Amino acid sequence: LSLFLHLPGTSEEVAPPVQQCFMVPKKEINVVSDMAKWKRSQVWLWGQGILGNAADLPIEKLVALLNTLDRWIDETPPVDQPSRFGNKAFRTWYAKLDQVSMSVLCGVTCSSHRRAVCPAGLGEWLCHCRHLCHVSSCLLTPGHEAAFAAFLCCLCKIGVLRVDDQMAIVFKVFNRYLEVMRKLQKTYRMEPAGSQGVWGLDDFQFLPFIWGSSQLIDHPSLEPRHFVDEKVVNENHKDFMFLECILFITEMKTGPFAEHSNQLWNISAVPSWSKVNQGLIRMYKAECLEKFPVIQHFKFGSLLPIQPVTS
């Protein structure tokens, strides 16, 4: 999670003081020139790698929350419609999430944290930032997973999650989030917004490639060239986030891998996972965090401030 925000090592250090007043997050990036303000902000701090220990109860509550969202998909089947893509039943599913987001968050947080939930805007980030979600046209944008990662960062900052739990946050919570998003894509035939086709990394996700490549650094046998090997992917995808991403792509697209995912095919020629990881971080910074169409919708407040760094 340090990819988005440099957080100190303990929840005591990151949890806001009891007397802190929270402000409602607001839009700060209104014109292209505001991107300079974003790049000087406290949120714009970089790190890499995944560190941490075991999970605790809040992790399980978040997984249970995502399980509920998964069940709602089953309860909201696609409707018959002329258009092949963007099934309108998605709007019904999303409306349910929008209506109960605050009550659901209260179930995840304890009473001492709930003063931060509403004014800090956590409900908006839980809803994949409703300003990032093109509900009417059933599109998914590059900002969705960034919004969910911001939601997780905020939970760390108010002390609901521990930064020491980064492994569990990524490989339990974020991975379950990915499963729900993939189910949404399959069920409602979601269309990607801003797709670059074969020249893009993936139509919908980016962060799991970064964290997944980090997970594979120093692996004794799996090398980047192996992820284009169907047999290797089928045998190992359950254990590695990166390979799970590759499997999903091959399930959703037809034809030779080099043709439908040329960018990833080129990445498979990189000699080491550490090089892959470093390159993906640079690519994400350029293709998402530095793109005005994505960042213009981001909201800033007490937990994710726009104020510049002081050191």
Side-chain angles (χ1 to χ4, degrees), residues 190-204:
M190 307 292 288
E191 292 185 83
S195 173
Q196 298 181 31
V198 299
W199 302 109
L201 187 70
D202 179 67
D203 283 339
F204 296 100

Side-chain angles (χ1 to χ4, degrees), residues 97-234:
L97 171 61
D98 198 24
Q99 291 169 3
V100 305
S101 60
M102 297 312 302
S103 60
V104 166
L105 275 174
C106 288
V108 173
T109 59
C110 63
S111 57
S112 61
H113 298 127
R114 286 172 193 165
R115 63 188 175 80
V117 168
C118 184
L122 293 187
E124 292 206 27
W125 282 306
L126 173 62
C127 288
H128 313 291
C129 280
R130 52 180 65 90
H131 49 280
L132 285 168
C133 189
H134 296 273
V135 180
S136 60
S137 53
C138 300
L139 295 176
L140 290 176
T141 78
H144 281 87
E145 62 179 8
F148 189 76
F151 165 69
L152 295 176
C153 282
C154 289
L155 290 180
C156 288
K157 293 203 73 175
I158 66 174
V160 173
L161 297 175
R162 299 197 315 264
V163 181
D164 289 343
D165 288 337
Q166 284 191 70
M167 286 286 280
I169 293 170
V170 170
F171 293 113
K172 283 191 174 183
V173 179
F174 194 83
N175 194 60
R176 187 69 184 101
Y177 159 80
L178 288 175
E179 291 172 351
V180 174
M181 293 302 289
R182 287 166 181 156
K183 189 170 180 177
L184 283 173
Q185 293 160 32
K186 284 183 175 181
T187 303
Y188 303 125
R189 303 288 296 179
M190 307 292 288
E191 292 185 83
S195 173
Q196 298 181 31
V198 299
W199 302 109
L201 187 70
D202 179 67
D203 283 339
F204 296 100
Q205 271 82 46
F206 202 120
L207 289 177
F209 290 94
I210 295 177
W211 287 325
S213 59
S214 177
Q215 183 188 19
L216 286 162
I217 291 176
D218 297 327
H219 191 280
S221 58
L222 290 178
E223 300 175 8
R225 61 187 175 89
H226 290 131
F227 76 74
V228 294
D229 186 322
E230 183 179 350
K231 183 175 183 293
V232 172
V233 172
N234 288 336

